[in-house]
Amino acid sequence: MSVLVVGSVALDSVKTPFGEIEEALGGSATYASVSASFFDAVNLVAVVGDDFAEENVQLLKGFEIDVSGLKRQTGETFRWKGYYTYNLNEAITTETCLNVFADFNPILPDEYKKANHIFLANIDPELQLKVLEQIEKPEIILLDTMNFWIMNKRDSLIKTIERVDILVVNDAEARELTGEANLIKAASKIRSIGPGRVIIKKGEHGALMFSKDGIFSAPAYPIEDIFDPTGAGDTFAGGLIGYLSGVHGKNEEDFKRGVIFGSAMASFVVEKFSLDRLKTLTWEEIRNRYYQFKKLTHFEVE
Ligand code: AMP
């Protein structure tokens, strides 16, 4: 099987209390695809401008990501600028330049339309809907979004949410979307729109997964040196959908393991800027961290 990832491929300029980087490879689909590629084959759909360096394309290919759906269009690549203060849970956006994304029309190559596992990473919800209209018989559709779209494209976003299986958002986005301060109430409001499952990320405090079977609480791996949190959410989602696709996961335990693998992947990406940590990451390191999660949360009742 393979995972279809649709989202942004970007050049990010990021400042954290520990350093800064200009025009580094980033974007929601980039982080998610690279993360998912550790678990299964990945097909990427996105658009870049004619300024996008060939070495970045080669980097994606190095992770064995199929880039035949990565369109090159005349114009500039999507750019995002942001910074973090010591509260590393919150990115403060200073500039979003959609550039070639402003008139992107995602047309899926025929072989991508049969995708079973789809991650609609953070982009304009109207584009996410266009993708959904082309998919033939999806098994699991995972959707991400952000405050920018909740504020600016609420109606299209709700239409998209109605059609997906899992929504993954952070705590602030869940509150903004539903007008509920309490995350349990927020999750059940979101589930009443359509998705059977909602995952609410709480940055360094882990994630909560809500489904008909109840609530699963996953910790975040305690990291001493978080260098740059950019991409943590997308790396989490990529790990989750990649794992589910790789094991043909369908039951509650598969989803729980997927959330832990996603959390493990996110815990690596924040250790360095951009994709730098994922470039050297090995499967053995992922597996070790996965087992660490078990140790971190296991206790004997008596
Ligand atoms: P996160 O995983 O939430 O830290 O996502 C970070 C990535 O989202 C960055 O690499 C950005 O390029 C990308 N991004 C930021 N704003 C947007 C947006 N409005 N649409 C699509 N992607 C975005």
Side-chain angles (χ1 to χ4, degrees):
M1 278 216 241
S2 58
V3 180
L4 173 65
V5 176
V6 186
S8 63
V9 170
L11 297 175
D12 288 346
S13 298
V14 184
K15 199 170 172 181
T16 80
F18 314 106
E20 58 188 293
I21 197 163
E22 289 274 316
E23 309 229 318
L25 178 59
S28 55
T30 307
Y31 282 107
S33 301
V34 171
S35 180
S37 74
F38 284 85
F39 301 90
D40 208 350
V42 178
N43 299 325
L44 168 66
V45 170
V47 63
V48 291
D50 40 25
D51 58 350
F52 192 70
E54 181 55 30
E55 84 185 62
N56 286 332
V57 178
Q58 291 308 323
L59 193 133
L60 295 170
K61 283 186 177 168
F63 286 98
E64 291 180 28
I65 295 167
D66 183 319
V67 293
S68 45
L70 180 66
K71 246 187 111 187
R72 202 180 267 277
Q73 223 161 270
T74 309
E76 286 188 274
T77 300
F78 175 84
R79 277 168 173 76
W80 178 75
K81 271 190 189 168
Y83 69 93
Y84 299 82
T85 61
Y86 280 99
N87 174 10
L88 292 167
N89 287 330
E90 195 195 351
I92 298 148
T93 297
T94 49
E95 215 176 304
T96 301
C97 298
L98 292 178
N99 298 333
V100 289
F101 261 106
D103 41 27
F104 178 47
N105 186 15
I107 306 285
L108 300 188
D110 278 346
E111 61 280 15
Y112 287 14
K113 294 181 181 162
K114 296 181 175 45
N116 294 112
H117 292 81
I118 296 121
F119 177 45
L120 298 174
N122 175 27
I123 39 168
D124 185 332
E126 285 172 19
L127 296 181
Q128 293 174 322
L129 256 185
K130 275 193 182 163
V131 172
L132 283 186
E133 278 154 12
Q134 298 169 63
I135 303 289
E136 286 169 9
K137 257 170 107 195
E139 242 173 64
I140 299 177
I141 303 168
L142 174 65
L143 177 78
D144 189 12
T145 190
M146 73 182 296
N147 49 4
F148 186 83
W149 306 115
I150 298 173
M151 272 187 312
N152 299 314
K153 294 263 175 112
R154 196 184 179 84
D155 292 347
S156 329
L157 178 61
I158 298 288
K159 275 191 205 140
T160 314
I161 293 174
E162 278 170 9
R163 298 183 49 173
V164 306
D165 303 288
I166 317 174
L167 178 71
V168 55
V169 280
N170 68 32
D171 44 1
E173 290 155 357
R175 291 185 173 115
E176 200 173 330
L177 182 64
T178 59
E180 289 287 354
N182 180 284
L183 295 181
I184 304 171
K185 288 185 184 157
S188 70
K189 258 198 180 170
I190 296 169
R191 290 187 58 232
S192 72
I193 304 174
R197 203 173 280 278
V198 176
I199 299 173
I200 301 185
K201 300 168 290 176
K202 299 180 295 157
E204 61 185 329
H205 306 295
L208 294 171
M209 174 166 68
F210 300 84
S211 72
K212 66 173 179 16
D213 293 315
I215 306 175
F216 175 64
S217 172
Y221 188 79
I223 302 264
E224 223 170 292
D225 295 308
I226 299 183
F227 200 72
D228 172 18
T230 310
D234 302 306
T235 306
F236 168 88
L240 166 65
I241 197 82
Y243 173 79
L244 291 172
S245 174
V247 302
H248 312 294
K250 284 197 173 75
N251 65 42
E252 193 62 22
E253 293 309 310
D254 293 324
F255 283 99
K256 288 181 188 172
R257 284 190 282 268
V259 165
I260 298 296
F261 270 115
S263 305
M265 295 305 292
S267 75
F268 286 114
V269 82
V270 301
E271 290 178 352
K272 291 193 176 167
F273 271 125
S274 183
L275 295 161
D276 288 355
R277 182 64 182 92
L278 300 189
K279 285 183 199 164
T280 60
L281 186 63
T282 64
W283 176 247
E284 201 183 347
E285 288 175 308
I286 299 170
R287 204 185 38 212
N288 285 344
R289 199 158 279 185
Y290 176 70
Y291 286 118
Q292 290 291 321
F293 269 91
K294 177 151 165 93
K295 224 167 142 193
L296 198 62
T297 50
H298 182 84
F299 73 99
E300 302 293 338
V301 173
E302 288 198 39

